[in-house]
Amino acid sequence: MTNTPILLREVRLYGEGEPVDVRVRDGQIAEIGAGLDADGATVVEAGGHILLPGFVDLHTHLREPGREDTETIATGSAAAALGGYTAVFAMANTDPVADTAVITDHVWRRGREIGLVDVHPVGAVTVGLKGKQLAELGAMSSGKARVKMFSDDGYCVEDPLIMRRALEYARGLGVLIAQHAEEPRLTVGAVAHEGPAAARLGLTGWPRAAEESIVARDALLARDAGYRVHICHASTAGTVELLKWAKSQGISITAEVTPHHLMLDDSRLETYDAVNKVNPPLRETSDVAALRQALAEGVIDCVATDHAPHAAQDKCCEFAAARPGMLGLQTALSIIIDTMVRPGLLTWRAVARVMSEKPAQIVGLTDQGRPIEVGEPANLTLVDPETHWVVQGDAFASISDNTPFEGLTLPGQVRLTMLRGRITAEEGKVNAL
Ligand code: NCD
Ligand code: ZN
Ligand code: ZN
Ligand code: ZN
C-alpha cells in the first residue's frame, strides 16, 4: 500500500538546530533539507516543533481477549498513536492468557488490521502465568507474530529453577525475558508501599525487598545463563543500586521505569483513592529521586508505561479490593517532560533514547527506534513542547479512565504520529485505516 508523499515543513530534529523539512515517501524518509519543494506532497506545517523517532512501549496491557469492557486492541492502539507510539508490546495477562501461538498470532493480526501502531504480543513465560511449567516459547516465537518478548507480568516467575530454564531457552531462541520482580512470599495481602504512610493509614505494605531480592537473584541467573534479562517497572532506590552493580559486573541486564514511578510517591495514599493503587506500589520521594537519576544516567535503560486499564467497578471500591494499575499511554510523554526534561535531567536527544531507541534495541526491533535519516522507516512523532493541557480521563481513547493525573495541567503534546509514512494520529485525532 502506498500513501501520498508527505512533507513535514519546519521540524527540529531531536529538538536541535535550525528547522528543516522532511519528505516522507513509500514509508521511508526520502529527503531532509531546508526549504524543500512540495512537489505534489501533502504539506504538514510543523511550526518548528520537535521531531523524534516514534515511541516504543515495552509494557502495555490491552485487555483483549477477555476484558474488552476495559480496553481493546483498537482502543489501546488509538491511545498509543495519540501518545506518540509506533510500537507497543501487549502483555500476556489476558483471558485467556497469551501462552500459545493461537493467541499471540490473533493479537498480532488484530493489531495489523487496526494499523495504528505495531502491536507486538508478549508471550507468557509459563502456562497460564502459573509459574509451574514453561509455555511453548519456541512455537510463539516462530509463529506469525514472531514473538520477541516473554513475560508473566502481573506475576513474578518466582521459582528460580523455572526462571533459569526460561533464560536458557530464551538464549537459544534469541528472545527477551521480562520479569515482574515481586517475591510473592513478601507481598501477601500487600496493597501499598511498606513505609510510614501505609503504616499510618493501616494498609498492608509491599516491602522494597520483595522487588530487590528478585532483581538480585535474576541478575545472578542471567550471569550464569550468559543471557540477558529485563526488569519490568523498577521502583526502588535499592533496585537502582543492584542494576548498577550488575552492569558493573558485565551482566546483561536492562530495566524500565514507568512515568508514574518518576512522578508520584506514597503521599498519594492519604485519600484512599484506589486510582493510586499499582504494582509495584508508589514508593517514597527518595526512590523517585533515585529513579530519575538512574534514567538520566542510563542505569535504567528506558521508559515503559505499564498502561493498565481497569473498569470503574474494579477501581472505585475499597482500597484493598481494587485492582492495581493505571493508564499511561496518553500521558507518558508529558510526564517525562515534566519530571526529566524540564528539570534538565534529559535532553530531547535523550528522550528519543529512552522512549524509542533503547526499548527497540532491548527487544530487538530492527524497524523502530531508528535514526531520523534518509532511507530509514518513517516511524516518527512530532512534539509541541511549549503547549499545556489538562488531563481528563474520560477524554482518552482508552475505554477506561483510571488516570492518577486527572485534572493536572501537563506540559507538551504529541501533534502527529506517523507509522511507516502513514499519519496515524494528528492534532488529537486518530486516522483509522
Ligand atoms: C498490571 C495489570 O493491571 O495488568 N497492574 C499493575 O498494577 N501494574 C499488572 C502488572 O503490571 O503487574
Ligand atoms: Zn508487573
Ligand atoms: Zn504490567
Ligand atoms: Zn476514554
Side-chain angles (χ1 to χ4, degrees):
M1 186 192 60
T2 45
N3 297 295
T4 41
I6 293 167
L7 186 70
L8 300 174
R9 209 192 289 283
E10 303 251 301
V11 297
R12 291 174 62 236
L13 307 182
Y14 306 97
E16 295 167 354
E18 292 302 311
V20 292
D21 300 347
V22 173
R23 185 188 312 282
V24 169
R25 194 194 301 129
D26 299 332
Q28 293 190 336
I29 298 171
E31 198 179 5
I32 300 176
L36 299 184
D37 276 338
D39 217 357
T42 303
V43 176
V44 174
E45 297 293 345
H49 294 329
I50 298 171
L51 195 66
L52 299 176
F55 304 149
V56 176
D57 192 11
L58 293 182
H59 195 147
T60 309
H61 295 274
L62 294 183
R63 307 303 189 208
E64 180 181 347
R67 284 306 300 266
E68 291 87 346
D69 60 315
T70 64
E71 193 79 294
T72 64
I73 297 169
T75 59
S77 292
L82 291 166
Y85 288 88
T86 48
V88 299
F89 284 75
M91 281 297 180
N93 66 336
T94 48
D95 183 12
V97 169
D99 59 2
T100 65
V102 173
I103 309 282
T104 52
D105 283 355
H106 167 79
V107 171
W108 166 254
R109 230 179 350 257
R110 256 324 266 154
R112 291 302 274 203
E113 280 165 17
I114 294 152
L116 290 173
V117 62
D118 286 345
V119 177
H120 294 279
V122 176
V125 175
T126 68
V127 174
L129 310 176
K130 299 240 178 288
K132 299 293 178 211
Q133 188 191 340
L134 278 186
E136 293 200 26
L137 312 194
M140 289 186 266
S141 88
S142 62
K144 206 156 185 53
R146 298 265 150 212
V147 177
K148 291 170 180 59
M149 171 173 165
F150 293 87
S151 181
D152 275 1
D153 183 53
Y155 302 94
C156 184
V157 180
E158 163 196 5
D159 182 333
L161 184 56
I162 298 269
M163 187 61 180
R164 179 180 192 178
R165 291 206 179 117
L167 288 170
E168 289 168 355
Y169 204 18
R171 184 184 59 201
L173 297 168
V175 296
L176 182 71
I177 302 285
Q179 176 70 295
H180 166 117
E182 173 183 0
E183 166 50 63
R185 292 283 293 148
L186 291 174
T187 60
V188 176
V191 300
H193 167 66
E194 183 183 275
R200 195 167 55 248
L201 298 166
L203 298 170
T204 306
W206 219 109
R208 293 184 181 93
E211 173 171 310
E212 294 156 358
S213 57
I214 296 293
V215 173
R217 182 201 78 176
D218 286 359
L220 299 175
L221 292 177
R223 179 194 66 191
D224 289 1
Y227 197 63
R228 60 205 162 102
V229 69
H230 180 73
I231 302 298
C232 295
H233 42 47
S235 74
T236 78
T239 289
V240 168
E241 290 309 309
L242 289 163
L243 290 168
K244 246 185 236 171
W245 172 81
K247 289 183 174 194
S248 78
Q249 300 296 302
I251 295 171
S252 186
I253 190 167
T254 55
E256 67 192 32
V257 62
T258 71
H260 48 270
H261 287 108
L262 291 170
M263 173 91 149
L264 307 175
D265 61 48
D266 66 348
S267 63
R268 279 277 182 140
L269 296 172
E270 295 292 343
T271 60
Y272 287 99
D273 185 341
V275 78
N276 299 304
K277 183 174 175 181
V278 65
N279 281 339
L282 302 177
R283 303 284 183 185
E284 298 181 34
T285 51
S286 52
D287 298 287
V288 172
L291 293 169
R292 290 184 186 190
Q293 198 59 40
L295 183 64
E297 291 172 358
V299 173
I300 290 177
D301 302 84
C302 68
V303 173
T305 66
D306 196 7
H307 179 81
H310 286 296
Q313 73 267 21
D314 295 325
K315 273 304 205 181
C316 307
C317 53
E318 68 179 290
F319 203 86
R323 296 203 187 191
M326 34 185 71
L327 298 184
L329 287 169
Q330 286 185 251
T331 45
L333 173 72
S334 291
I335 302 297
I336 295 308
I337 295 173
D338 197 60
T339 60
M340 301 296 297
V341 179
R342 291 267 162 103
L345 289 165
L346 288 182
T347 60
W348 285 101
R349 174 74 65 169
V351 171
R353 184 184 82 223
V354 300
M355 295 190 70
S356 176
E357 295 161 6
K358 272 285 182 177
Q361 282 163 19
I362 288 167
V363 77
L365 279 188
T366 52
D367 60 338
Q368 297 277 349
R370 301 291 306 163
I372 304 177
E373 288 171 8
V374 172
E376 293 289 351
N379 298 320
L380 300 167
T381 296
L382 182 68
V383 174
D384 176 356
E386 302 301 337
T387 188
H388 285 79
W389 60 292
V390 179
V391 178
Q392 207 189 322
D394 65 10
F396 287 149
S398 286
I399 295 170
S400 303
D401 56 14
N402 53 304
T403 174
F405 307 116
E406 183 72 35
L408 275 188
T409 300
L410 294 180
Q413 269 280 11
V414 171
R415 288 282 171 233
L416 178 145
T417 310
M418 190 183 277
L419 177 64
R420 286 183 288 278
R422 196 179 84 80
I423 294 173
T424 52
E426 194 173 7
E427 302 297 334
K429 291 198 172 57
V430 292
N431 189 6
L433 267 183

